[in-house]
């Protein structure tokens, strides 16, 4: 149950993030990849590097690492919040 809740919240957050301003419905694959990585990562810097790599690979555009760290903290907060609910 906690994973389903976490995954839905994390995917919604990533879609709303829209780092390239191309619309919230254009990041399904990237969001899924990041959420899969989130399952096993608790370190915001490690998660931020994965976010940066995934999005840059798909869109061939650079995202500042600080922006990736910012979203990674929010994702990890969602992860821990989901664990506390159960």
């Amino acid at each position: 149950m906690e994973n389903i809740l976490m995954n839905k919240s994390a995917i919604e957050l990533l879609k709303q993030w829209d780092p390239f301003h191309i619309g919230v419905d254009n990041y399904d694959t990237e969001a899924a990849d990041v959420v899969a990585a989130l399952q096993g990562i608790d370190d915001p810097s490690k998660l931020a590097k994965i976010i940066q790599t995934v999005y840059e690979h798909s869109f061939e555009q650079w995202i500042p690492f600080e922006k990736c760290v910012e979203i990674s903290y929010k994702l990890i907060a969602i992860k821990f919040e989901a664990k506390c609910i159960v």
Side-chain angles (χ1 to χ4, degrees), residues 20-86:
F20 301 118
H21 309 289
I22 59 171
V24 296
D25 293 325
N26 292 301
Y27 300 101
D28 292 340
T29 303
E30 295 74 27
D33 289 349
V34 170
V35 170
L38 177 61
Q39 307 291 333
I41 296 176
D42 294 337
D43 180 324
S45 294
K46 285 183 184 176
L47 184 60
K49 188 64 188 158
I50 289 171
I51 293 167
Q52 190 178 47
T53 302
V54 165
Y55 280 79
E56 287 179 8
H57 178 75
S58 292
F59 295 95
E60 298 181 351
Q61 293 183 52
W62 181 76
I63 302 176
F65 188 67
E66 300 78 37
K67 290 191 181 288
C68 297
V69 169
E70 192 176 299
I71 195 79
S72 75
Y73 271 101
K74 292 177 182 177
L75 289 166
I76 289 171
I78 287 171
K79 178 179 180 176
F80 285 109
E81 187 177 305
K83 285 183 178 181
C84 291
I85 289 171
V86 174

